[in-house]
C-alpha cells in the first residue's frame, strides 16, 4: 500500500442546509485512486468542509458505500502503511496466490455482473482494516483529532473512483428565522 502523493479528491456536491436543521452541511467527495492499493488522506478536505459549515460544536460523519475500500483514522506515515500492507498480505493474501470462495465460486452470470476481476482479498482486507463510517467530534470549530491522526480512505481494489458522503452535524442547530 503506497501513500497517494497527490490524491485526486474533489467535492462534487455541497449543500448548506437551512437553519434549524441538525445537519449544517452535506457533501459528496469523489476520490480517484490510481494504484491497486493505496491511501488517500482526506483530512484537509474535511477540515475545509467543517470550516465552511460554521459549526462550532458537533460531529463530522463520513460514509463510504463501497466494500473493497474503507475509512481509517491513524497516522499518515509511509512506513506504517508498508507495515499494514505486509500484515494484511499475511492475513489476507492476494487472490492470485490464495483461494477465495468469493472469487472461485461465482457463476458466469455473477462474473458478468461483477466483472472478471478476482478481489476476494480486497473484501477481506477492507473488513479487517477499515470501517464504512467514521464520526469525528467537532469542537471549537475544528475536527478533534490527535496530533498524529489523519482521516484516510484505504483502497484495496484499485484503480477506482469512489464516492463518499460527508455530513457536518451541529450539536446546537441554528434557530430558524421567524
Amino acid at each position: 500500500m503506497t501513500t497517494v502523493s497527490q490524491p485526486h479528491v474533489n467535492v462534487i456536491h455541497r449543500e448548506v442546509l437551512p437553519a434549524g436543521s441538525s445537519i449544517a452541511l452535506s457533501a459528496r467527495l469523489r476520490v480517484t485512486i490510481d494504484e491497486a492499493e493505496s491511501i488517500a488522506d482526506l483530512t484537509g478536505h474535511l477540515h475545509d468542509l467543517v470550516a465552511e459549515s460554521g459549526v462550532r460544536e458537533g460531529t463530522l460523519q463520513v460514509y463510504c458505500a463501497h466494500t473493497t475500500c474503507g475509512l481509517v483514522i491513524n497516522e499518515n506515515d509511509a512506513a506504517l502503511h508498508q507495515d499494514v500492507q505486509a500484515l494484511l498480505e499475511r492475513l489476507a493474501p492476494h487472490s492470485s496466490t490464495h483461494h477465495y470462495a468469493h472469487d472461485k465460486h461465482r457463476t458466469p452470470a455473477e462474473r458478468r455482473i461483477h466483472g472478471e476481476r478476482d478481489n476476494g482479498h480486497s473484501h477481506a482486507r477492507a473488513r479487517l482494516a477499515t470501517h464504512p463510517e467514521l464520526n469525528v467530534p467537532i469542537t471549537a470549530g475544528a475536527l478533534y483529532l490527535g496530533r498524529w491522526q489523519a482521516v484516510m480512505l484505504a483502497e484495496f481494489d484499485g484503480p477506482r473512483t469512489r464516492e463518499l458522503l460527508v455530513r457536518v452535524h451541529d450539536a446546537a442547530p441554528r434557530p430558524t428565522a421567524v
Side-chain angles (χ1 to χ4, degrees), residues 114-175:
H114 297 288
E116 295 298 320
R117 176 151 78 187
D118 286 343
N119 64 358
H121 69 286
S122 303
H123 288 281
R125 291 174 184 191
R127 285 183 65 174
L128 288 169
T130 68
H131 303 279
E133 178 181 31
L134 293 175
N135 292 288
V136 181
I138 299 168
T139 189
L143 292 174
Y144 189 76
L145 291 170
R147 178 178 179 181
W148 303 110
Q149 288 183 318
V151 181
M152 299 169 284
L153 175 72
E155 174 62 65
F156 300 105
D157 194 27
R160 298 239 190 223
T161 297
R162 306 299 193 160
E163 190 172 300
L164 307 174
L165 176 64
V166 178
R167 292 209 168 133
V168 179
H169 297 268
D170 198 338
R174 300 164 308 273

Short mmCIF file of all heavy atoms in Angstrom, two decimals, residues 114-175:
data_model
loop_
_atom_site.label_atom_id
_atom_site.label_comp_id
_atom_site.label_asym_id
_atom_site.label_seq_id
_atom_site.Cartn_x
_atom_site.Cartn_y
_atom_site.Cartn_z
N HIS A 114 -20.42 -8.58 -11.97
CA HIS A 114 -19.37 -8.01 -11.12
C HIS A 114 -18.04 -7.82 -11.83
O HIS A 114 -17.12 -7.24 -11.25
CB HIS A 114 -19.17 -8.88 -9.88
CG HIS A 114 -20.38 -8.96 -9.01
ND1 HIS A 114 -20.80 -7.91 -8.24
CD2 HIS A 114 -21.26 -9.95 -8.79
CE1 HIS A 114 -21.89 -8.24 -7.59
NE2 HIS A 114 -22.20 -9.48 -7.91
N GLY A 115 -17.92 -8.31 -13.03
CA GLY A 115 -16.65 -8.21 -13.73
C GLY A 115 -15.80 -9.43 -13.46
O GLY A 115 -16.07 -10.23 -12.57
N GLU A 116 -14.76 -9.57 -14.22
CA GLU A 116 -13.90 -10.76 -14.13
C GLU A 116 -12.84 -10.65 -13.06
O GLU A 116 -12.18 -11.62 -12.74
CB GLU A 116 -13.24 -11.01 -15.50
CG GLU A 116 -14.23 -11.36 -16.59
CD GLU A 116 -14.99 -12.64 -16.31
OE1 GLU A 116 -14.41 -13.62 -15.80
OE2 GLU A 116 -16.21 -12.67 -16.60
N ARG A 117 -12.65 -9.48 -12.50
CA ARG A 117 -11.57 -9.25 -11.55
C ARG A 117 -11.78 -10.04 -10.26
O ARG A 117 -12.82 -9.92 -9.62
CB ARG A 117 -11.50 -7.75 -11.26
CG ARG A 117 -10.49 -7.39 -10.22
CD ARG A 117 -9.93 -6.02 -10.41
NE ARG A 117 -10.73 -4.90 -10.00
CZ ARG A 117 -10.37 -3.65 -10.25
NH1 ARG A 117 -9.27 -3.39 -10.92
NH2 ARG A 117 -11.11 -2.66 -9.86
N ASP A 118 -10.79 -10.85 -9.89
CA ASP A 118 -10.83 -11.54 -8.60
C ASP A 118 -10.40 -10.55 -7.51
O ASP A 118 -9.33 -9.95 -7.58
CB ASP A 118 -9.88 -12.75 -8.60
CG ASP A 118 -10.43 -13.92 -9.40
OD1 ASP A 118 -11.64 -13.93 -9.68
OD2 ASP A 118 -9.63 -14.82 -9.72
N ASN A 119 -11.27 -10.39 -6.51
CA ASN A 119 -10.98 -9.40 -5.47
C ASN A 119 -11.38 -9.85 -4.08
O ASN A 119 -11.66 -9.04 -3.21
CB ASN A 119 -11.62 -8.05 -5.81
CG ASN A 119 -13.13 -8.11 -5.84
OD1 ASN A 119 -13.74 -9.17 -5.65
ND2 ASN A 119 -13.76 -6.98 -6.09
N GLY A 120 -11.38 -11.17 -3.85
CA GLY A 120 -11.69 -11.68 -2.52
C GLY A 120 -10.77 -11.10 -1.46
O GLY A 120 -11.21 -10.77 -0.35
N HIS A 121 -9.50 -10.96 -1.80
CA HIS A 121 -8.54 -10.38 -0.85
C HIS A 121 -8.91 -8.93 -0.51
O HIS A 121 -8.73 -8.50 0.64
CB HIS A 121 -7.12 -10.45 -1.41
CG HIS A 121 -6.88 -9.55 -2.58
ND1 HIS A 121 -7.38 -9.82 -3.84
CD2 HIS A 121 -6.22 -8.38 -2.68
CE1 HIS A 121 -7.03 -8.86 -4.66
NE2 HIS A 121 -6.32 -7.96 -3.98
N SER A 122 -9.42 -8.19 -1.47
CA SER A 122 -9.79 -6.79 -1.24
C SER A 122 -10.94 -6.68 -0.24
O SER A 122 -10.92 -5.82 0.64
CB SER A 122 -10.19 -6.12 -2.56
OG SER A 122 -9.14 -6.21 -3.49
N HIS A 123 -11.93 -7.55 -0.39
CA HIS A 123 -13.05 -7.56 0.56
C HIS A 123 -12.55 -7.92 1.96
O HIS A 123 -12.92 -7.28 2.95
CB HIS A 123 -14.12 -8.57 0.12
CG HIS A 123 -14.89 -8.13 -1.08
ND1 HIS A 123 -15.91 -7.22 -1.01
CD2 HIS A 123 -14.78 -8.49 -2.38
CE1 HIS A 123 -16.41 -7.04 -2.22
NE2 HIS A 123 -15.74 -7.81 -3.08
N ALA A 124 -11.71 -8.95 2.04
CA ALA A 124 -11.19 -9.38 3.35
C ALA A 124 -10.37 -8.28 4.00
O ALA A 124 -10.51 -8.01 5.21
CB ALA A 124 -10.35 -10.65 3.19
N ARG A 125 -9.52 -7.62 3.24
CA ARG A 125 -8.67 -6.55 3.79
C ARG A 125 -9.51 -5.38 4.27
O ARG A 125 -9.24 -4.81 5.33
CB ARG A 125 -7.64 -6.12 2.75
CG ARG A 125 -6.60 -7.18 2.50
CD ARG A 125 -5.66 -6.83 1.38
NE ARG A 125 -4.75 -7.95 1.13
CZ ARG A 125 -3.68 -7.90 0.38
NH1 ARG A 125 -3.34 -6.77 -0.22
NH2 ARG A 125 -2.92 -8.96 0.21
N ALA A 126 -10.52 -5.00 3.50
CA ALA A 126 -11.38 -3.89 3.91
C ALA A 126 -12.12 -4.23 5.20
O ALA A 126 -12.24 -3.38 6.09
CB ALA A 126 -12.37 -3.54 2.80
N ARG A 127 -12.57 -5.48 5.33
CA ARG A 127 -13.27 -5.88 6.56
C ARG A 127 -12.35 -5.90 7.76
O ARG A 127 -12.75 -5.57 8.87
CB ARG A 127 -13.93 -7.24 6.38
CG ARG A 127 -15.17 -7.15 5.51
CD ARG A 127 -15.89 -8.44 5.37
NE ARG A 127 -16.44 -8.90 6.63
CZ ARG A 127 -17.23 -9.95 6.75
NH1 ARG A 127 -17.57 -10.63 5.67
NH2 ARG A 127 -17.67 -10.32 7.92
N LEU A 128 -11.10 -6.29 7.55
CA LEU A 128 -10.15 -6.37 8.66
C LEU A 128 -9.60 -5.01 9.09
O LEU A 128 -9.33 -4.80 10.28
CB LEU A 128 -8.95 -7.25 8.26
CG LEU A 128 -9.20 -8.74 8.15
CD1 LEU A 128 -8.01 -9.42 7.49
CD2 LEU A 128 -9.46 -9.33 9.53
N ALA A 129 -9.39 -4.10 8.16
CA ALA A 129 -8.58 -2.92 8.46
C ALA A 129 -9.31 -1.58 8.41
O ALA A 129 -8.71 -0.56 8.73
CB ALA A 129 -7.40 -2.88 7.49
N THR A 130 -10.58 -1.56 7.99
CA THR A 130 -11.26 -0.27 7.83
C THR A 130 -12.68 -0.32 8.38
O THR A 130 -13.16 -1.36 8.82
CB THR A 130 -11.31 0.13 6.34
OG1 THR A 130 -12.18 -0.77 5.64
CG2 THR A 130 -9.93 0.13 5.70
N HIS A 131 -13.33 0.82 8.28
CA HIS A 131 -14.74 0.97 8.68
C HIS A 131 -15.49 1.63 7.51
O HIS A 131 -14.92 2.46 6.81
CB HIS A 131 -14.87 1.87 9.90
CG HIS A 131 -14.09 1.41 11.07
ND1 HIS A 131 -14.52 0.42 11.92
CD2 HIS A 131 -12.87 1.77 11.53
CE1 HIS A 131 -13.62 0.21 12.85
NE2 HIS A 131 -12.60 1.01 12.64
N PRO A 132 -16.77 1.32 7.34
CA PRO A 132 -17.53 2.01 6.31
C PRO A 132 -17.90 3.43 6.72
O PRO A 132 -18.17 4.28 5.88
CB PRO A 132 -18.78 1.16 6.12
CG PRO A 132 -18.92 0.42 7.40
CD PRO A 132 -17.54 0.25 7.96
N GLU A 133 -17.90 3.71 8.03
CA GLU A 133 -18.34 5.01 8.53
C GLU A 133 -17.46 5.45 9.69
O GLU A 133 -17.08 4.64 10.53
CB GLU A 133 -19.79 4.93 9.00
CG GLU A 133 -20.34 6.21 9.56
CD GLU A 133 -21.77 6.07 10.04
OE1 GLU A 133 -22.16 4.99 10.48
OE2 GLU A 133 -22.49 7.08 9.96
N LEU A 134 -17.15 6.75 9.71
CA LEU A 134 -16.42 7.33 10.82
C LEU A 134 -17.15 8.58 11.30
O LEU A 134 -17.74 9.31 10.50
CB LEU A 134 -15.00 7.74 10.41
CG LEU A 134 -14.03 6.63 10.04
CD1 LEU A 134 -12.73 7.24 9.53
CD2 LEU A 134 -13.77 5.72 11.23
N ASN A 135 -17.10 8.82 12.60
CA ASN A 135 -17.63 10.04 13.19
C ASN A 135 -16.50 10.69 13.97
O ASN A 135 -15.86 10.03 14.79
CB ASN A 135 -18.80 9.72 14.12
CG ASN A 135 -19.99 9.22 13.35
OD1 ASN A 135 -20.64 9.98 12.65
ND2 ASN A 135 -20.27 7.93 13.44
N VAL A 136 -16.26 11.97 13.70
CA VAL A 136 -15.20 12.71 14.36
C VAL A 136 -15.83 13.90 15.07
O VAL A 136 -16.56 14.68 14.43
CB VAL A 136 -14.14 13.20 13.35
CG1 VAL A 136 -13.02 13.95 14.05
CG2 VAL A 136 -13.59 12.04 12.54
N PRO A 137 -15.55 14.08 16.36
CA PRO A 137 -16.09 15.25 17.06
C PRO A 137 -15.56 16.56 16.46
O PRO A 137 -14.42 16.63 16.00
CB PRO A 137 -15.60 15.09 18.50
CG PRO A 137 -15.21 13.65 18.61
CD PRO A 137 -14.78 13.21 17.25
N ILE A 138 -16.40 17.57 16.50
CA ILE A 138 -16.00 18.94 16.16
C ILE A 138 -16.10 19.74 17.44
O ILE A 138 -17.13 19.72 18.12
CB ILE A 138 -16.94 19.55 15.10
CG1 ILE A 138 -16.90 18.73 13.81
CG2 ILE A 138 -16.60 21.02 14.85
CD1 ILE A 138 -18.01 19.09 12.83
N THR A 139 -15.03 20.41 17.78
CA THR A 139 -15.05 21.28 18.95
C THR A 139 -14.27 22.55 18.63
O THR A 139 -13.28 22.51 17.90
CB THR A 139 -14.50 20.56 20.21
OG1 THR A 139 -14.73 21.37 21.35
CG2 THR A 139 -13.05 20.19 20.08
N ALA A 140 -14.79 23.67 19.10
CA ALA A 140 -14.19 24.98 18.82
C ALA A 140 -14.03 25.19 17.31
O ALA A 140 -13.06 25.79 16.85
CB ALA A 140 -12.86 25.14 19.55
N GLY A 141 -14.96 24.66 16.52
CA GLY A 141 -14.97 24.88 15.08
C GLY A 141 -13.98 24.06 14.28
O GLY A 141 -13.76 24.34 13.10
N ALA A 142 -13.36 23.04 14.91
CA ALA A 142 -12.36 22.23 14.20
C ALA A 142 -12.54 20.75 14.54
O ALA A 142 -13.08 20.40 15.59
CB ALA A 142 -10.95 22.68 14.60
N LEU A 143 -12.05 19.90 13.64
CA LEU A 143 -12.07 18.46 13.91
C LEU A 143 -11.22 18.17 15.15
O LEU A 143 -10.12 18.71 15.29
CB LEU A 143 -11.52 17.68 12.72
CG LEU A 143 -12.35 17.69 11.46
CD1 LEU A 143 -11.61 16.99 10.33
CD2 LEU A 143 -13.69 17.03 11.70
N TYR A 144 -11.73 17.33 16.02
CA TYR A 144 -11.00 16.97 17.23
C TYR A 144 -10.21 15.69 16.93
O TYR A 144 -10.65 14.59 17.19
CB TYR A 144 -11.96 16.76 18.40
CG TYR A 144 -11.25 16.59 19.71
CD1 TYR A 144 -10.72 17.68 20.37
CD2 TYR A 144 -11.11 15.34 20.29
CE1 TYR A 144 -10.06 17.53 21.58
CE2 TYR A 144 -10.46 15.17 21.49
CZ TYR A 144 -9.94 16.28 22.13
OH TYR A 144 -9.28 16.13 23.33
N LEU A 145 -9.03 15.89 16.35
CA LEU A 145 -8.13 14.78 16.02
C LEU A 145 -6.87 14.92 16.84
O LEU A 145 -6.43 16.03 17.14
CB LEU A 145 -7.77 14.80 14.53
CG LEU A 145 -8.89 14.49 13.55
CD1 LEU A 145 -8.45 14.79 12.12
CD2 LEU A 145 -9.32 13.03 13.67
N GLY A 146 -6.26 13.78 17.16
CA GLY A 146 -4.99 13.79 17.85
C GLY A 146 -3.89 14.33 16.96
O GLY A 146 -4.04 14.41 15.73
N ARG A 147 -2.76 14.66 17.56
CA ARG A 147 -1.65 15.29 16.85
C ARG A 147 -1.24 14.53 15.58
O ARG A 147 -0.93 15.14 14.56
CB ARG A 147 -0.46 15.39 17.80
CG ARG A 147 0.75 15.98 17.17
CD ARG A 147 1.87 16.11 18.17
NE ARG A 147 3.04 16.68 17.52
CZ ARG A 147 4.17 16.90 18.11
NH1 ARG A 147 4.29 16.62 19.40
NH2 ARG A 147 5.19 17.41 17.46
N TRP A 148 -1.23 13.21 15.64
CA TRP A 148 -0.75 12.41 14.50
C TRP A 148 -1.89 11.78 13.71
O TRP A 148 -1.64 11.04 12.75
CB TRP A 148 0.20 11.31 14.99
CG TRP A 148 1.36 11.87 15.74
CD1 TRP A 148 1.60 11.77 17.08
CD2 TRP A 148 2.42 12.67 15.21
NE1 TRP A 148 2.74 12.43 17.42
CE2 TRP A 148 3.28 13.00 16.28
CE3 TRP A 148 2.74 13.13 13.94
CZ2 TRP A 148 4.42 13.76 16.12
CZ3 TRP A 148 3.89 13.90 13.78
CH2 TRP A 148 4.70 14.20 14.86
N GLN A 149 -3.13 12.05 14.08
CA GLN A 149 -4.25 11.40 13.42
C GLN A 149 -4.64 12.08 12.10
O GLN A 149 -4.67 13.31 12.02
CB GLN A 149 -5.47 11.36 14.34
CG GLN A 149 -5.34 10.38 15.47
CD GLN A 149 -6.58 10.32 16.32
OE1 GLN A 149 -7.20 11.34 16.64
NE2 GLN A 149 -6.98 9.10 16.68
N ALA A 150 -4.95 11.25 11.12
CA ALA A 150 -5.47 11.71 9.83
C ALA A 150 -6.65 10.82 9.48
O ALA A 150 -6.71 9.65 9.88
CB ALA A 150 -4.39 11.60 8.76
N VAL A 151 -7.60 11.36 8.75
CA VAL A 151 -8.74 10.59 8.24
C VAL A 151 -8.39 10.20 6.81
O VAL A 151 -8.13 11.06 5.98
CB VAL A 151 -10.04 11.41 8.27
CG1 VAL A 151 -11.21 10.58 7.76
CG2 VAL A 151 -10.31 11.94 9.68
N MET A 152 -8.38 8.89 6.55
CA MET A 152 -7.92 8.39 5.26
C MET A 152 -8.89 7.37 4.67
O MET A 152 -9.59 6.68 5.41
CB MET A 152 -6.55 7.73 5.43
CG MET A 152 -5.48 8.68 5.92
SD MET A 152 -3.95 7.85 6.41
CE MET A 152 -4.42 7.16 8.01
N LEU A 153 -8.88 7.29 3.34
CA LEU A 153 -9.55 6.24 2.61
C LEU A 153 -8.49 5.22 2.22
O LEU A 153 -7.49 5.59 1.59
CB LEU A 153 -10.24 6.78 1.35
CG LEU A 153 -10.88 5.72 0.46
CD1 LEU A 153 -12.14 5.17 1.12
CD2 LEU A 153 -11.20 6.28 -0.91
N ALA A 154 -8.69 3.96 2.60
CA ALA A 154 -7.77 2.89 2.23
C ALA A 154 -8.41 2.09 1.10
O ALA A 154 -9.49 1.52 1.27
CB ALA A 154 -7.48 1.99 3.42
N GLU A 155 -7.76 2.08 -0.05
CA GLU A 155 -8.25 1.38 -1.23
C GLU A 155 -7.51 0.06 -1.36
O GLU A 155 -6.29 0.01 -1.28
CB GLU A 155 -8.00 2.24 -2.48
CG GLU A 155 -8.35 1.55 -3.78
CD GLU A 155 -9.81 1.20 -3.90
OE1 GLU A 155 -10.65 2.12 -3.94
OE2 GLU A 155 -10.11 -0.01 -3.93
N PHE A 156 -8.27 -1.03 -1.59
CA PHE A 156 -7.68 -2.37 -1.75
C PHE A 156 -8.01 -3.01 -3.10
O PHE A 156 -7.63 -4.15 -3.34
CB PHE A 156 -8.16 -3.30 -0.62
CG PHE A 156 -7.79 -2.79 0.75
CD1 PHE A 156 -8.74 -2.22 1.57
CD2 PHE A 156 -6.48 -2.87 1.20
CE1 PHE A 156 -8.40 -1.74 2.83
CE2 PHE A 156 -6.13 -2.39 2.45
CZ PHE A 156 -7.09 -1.83 3.26
N ASP A 157 -8.73 -2.29 -3.98
CA ASP A 157 -9.17 -2.88 -5.24
C ASP A 157 -9.12 -1.86 -6.37
O ASP A 157 -10.03 -1.77 -7.18
CB ASP A 157 -10.59 -3.44 -5.07
CG ASP A 157 -11.01 -4.37 -6.18
OD1 ASP A 157 -10.13 -5.00 -6.80
OD2 ASP A 157 -12.23 -4.46 -6.44
N GLY A 158 -8.05 -1.09 -6.39
CA GLY A 158 -7.92 -0.04 -7.40
C GLY A 158 -7.30 -0.56 -8.68
O GLY A 158 -6.99 -1.73 -8.79
N PRO A 159 -7.13 0.31 -9.62
CA PRO A 159 -7.55 1.71 -9.58
C PRO A 159 -9.07 1.85 -9.67
O PRO A 159 -9.72 1.09 -10.39
CB PRO A 159 -6.87 2.33 -10.80
CG PRO A 159 -6.36 1.21 -11.63
CD PRO A 159 -6.40 -0.03 -10.83
N ARG A 160 -9.57 2.80 -8.91
CA ARG A 160 -11.02 3.03 -8.85
C ARG A 160 -11.30 4.49 -8.52
O ARG A 160 -10.45 5.19 -7.98
CB ARG A 160 -11.66 2.18 -7.75
CG ARG A 160 -11.54 0.70 -7.94
CD ARG A 160 -12.89 0.09 -8.00
NE ARG A 160 -12.77 -1.36 -7.95
CZ ARG A 160 -13.47 -2.15 -8.71
NH1 ARG A 160 -14.33 -1.66 -9.55
NH2 ARG A 160 -13.34 -3.45 -8.62
N THR A 161 -12.52 4.89 -8.78
CA THR A 161 -13.04 6.17 -8.32
C THR A 161 -14.15 5.86 -7.33
O THR A 161 -15.06 5.08 -7.63
CB THR A 161 -13.56 7.02 -9.49
OG1 THR A 161 -12.45 7.30 -10.35
CG2 THR A 161 -14.16 8.32 -9.01
N ARG A 162 -14.06 6.47 -6.16
CA ARG A 162 -15.02 6.21 -5.07
C ARG A 162 -15.75 7.49 -4.73
O ARG A 162 -15.27 8.60 -4.95
CB ARG A 162 -14.28 5.72 -3.82
CG ARG A 162 -13.38 4.51 -4.06
CD ARG A 162 -14.15 3.31 -4.54
NE ARG A 162 -13.31 2.11 -4.46
CZ ARG A 162 -13.77 0.88 -4.45
NH1 ARG A 162 -15.06 0.66 -4.57
NH2 ARG A 162 -12.95 -0.14 -4.37
N GLU A 163 -16.93 7.32 -4.15
CA GLU A 163 -17.70 8.46 -3.68
C GLU A 163 -18.00 8.30 -2.20
O GLU A 163 -18.41 7.22 -1.75
CB GLU A 163 -19.00 8.59 -4.47
CG GLU A 163 -19.72 9.89 -4.21
CD GLU A 163 -20.92 10.09 -5.13
OE1 GLU A 163 -20.72 10.11 -6.36
OE2 GLU A 163 -22.04 10.21 -4.60
N LEU A 164 -17.78 9.37 -1.45
CA LEU A 164 -18.02 9.38 -0.01
C LEU A 164 -19.07 10.42 0.33
O LEU A 164 -19.08 11.51 -0.26
CB LEU A 164 -16.73 9.71 0.75
CG LEU A 164 -15.51 8.86 0.42
CD1 LEU A 164 -14.29 9.40 1.14
CD2 LEU A 164 -15.74 7.41 0.77
N LEU A 165 -19.91 10.11 1.29
CA LEU A 165 -20.91 11.06 1.79
C LEU A 165 -20.36 11.68 3.07
O LEU A 165 -19.92 10.95 3.98
CB LEU A 165 -22.23 10.36 2.07
CG LEU A 165 -23.34 11.21 2.69
CD1 LEU A 165 -23.77 12.33 1.74
CD2 LEU A 165 -24.52 10.32 3.06
N VAL A 166 -20.38 13.00 3.15
CA VAL A 166 -19.89 13.72 4.32
C VAL A 166 -21.02 14.58 4.84
O VAL A 166 -21.67 15.30 4.07
CB VAL A 166 -18.68 14.62 3.96
CG1 VAL A 166 -18.21 15.40 5.17
CG2 VAL A 166 -17.55 13.79 3.36
N ARG A 167 -21.24 14.51 6.14
CA ARG A 167 -22.25 15.37 6.77
C ARG A 167 -21.65 16.01 8.02
O ARG A 167 -20.97 15.34 8.79
CB ARG A 167 -23.49 14.56 7.15
CG ARG A 167 -24.22 14.10 5.91
CD ARG A 167 -25.68 13.95 6.15
NE ARG A 167 -26.37 13.80 4.89
CZ ARG A 167 -27.29 12.88 4.67
NH1 ARG A 167 -27.63 12.03 5.62
NH2 ARG A 167 -27.89 12.82 3.51
N VAL A 168 -21.91 17.30 8.16
CA VAL A 168 -21.48 18.03 9.35
C VAL A 168 -22.74 18.26 10.18
O VAL A 168 -23.66 18.96 9.74
CB VAL A 168 -20.80 19.36 8.99
CG1 VAL A 168 -20.39 20.10 10.26
CG2 VAL A 168 -19.58 19.10 8.09
N HIS A 169 -22.76 17.64 11.35
CA HIS A 169 -23.91 17.75 12.26
C HIS A 169 -23.62 18.82 13.31
O HIS A 169 -22.54 18.82 13.90
CB HIS A 169 -24.17 16.41 12.97
CG HIS A 169 -24.54 15.31 12.03
ND1 HIS A 169 -25.84 15.02 11.72
CD2 HIS A 169 -23.78 14.44 11.32
CE1 HIS A 169 -25.88 14.00 10.86
NE2 HIS A 169 -24.64 13.64 10.61
N ASP A 170 -24.58 19.67 13.55
CA ASP A 170 -24.45 20.75 14.51
C ASP A 170 -25.06 20.30 15.84
O ASP A 170 -26.24 19.90 15.87
CB ASP A 170 -25.17 22.00 13.99
CG ASP A 170 -24.75 23.27 14.69
OD1 ASP A 170 -24.24 23.19 15.83
OD2 ASP A 170 -24.94 24.34 14.09
N ALA A 171 -24.29 20.36 16.92
CA ALA A 171 -24.81 19.96 18.24
C ALA A 171 -25.87 20.93 18.72
O ALA A 171 -26.74 20.57 19.50
CB ALA A 171 -23.66 19.89 19.25
N ALA A 172 -25.80 22.17 18.28
CA ALA A 172 -26.77 23.19 18.66
C ALA A 172 -27.30 23.81 17.38
O ALA A 172 -26.78 24.85 16.93
CB ALA A 172 -26.12 24.25 19.55
N PRO A 173 -28.32 23.19 16.77
CA PRO A 173 -28.81 23.71 15.49
C PRO A 173 -29.18 25.19 15.59
O PRO A 173 -29.72 25.64 16.61
CB PRO A 173 -30.05 22.87 15.19
CG PRO A 173 -29.85 21.62 15.99
CD PRO A 173 -29.06 22.02 17.20
N ARG A 174 -28.88 25.91 14.54
CA ARG A 174 -29.19 27.34 14.49
C ARG A 174 -30.71 27.53 14.49
O ARG A 174 -31.43 26.80 13.82
CB ARG A 174 -28.57 27.95 13.25
CG ARG A 174 -27.05 27.78 13.23
CD ARG A 174 -26.47 28.03 11.84
NE ARG A 174 -27.09 27.28 10.76
CZ ARG A 174 -26.70 26.04 10.40
NH1 ARG A 174 -25.73 25.43 11.01
NH2 ARG A 174 -27.30 25.42 9.41
N PRO A 175 -31.19 28.51 15.21
CA PRO A 175 -32.64 28.74 15.21
C PRO A 175 -33.13 29.18 13.84
O PRO A 175 -32.40 29.83 13.10
CB PRO A 175 -32.84 29.85 16.26
CG PRO A 175 -31.49 30.44 16.49
CD PRO A 175 -30.46 29.46 16.03
#
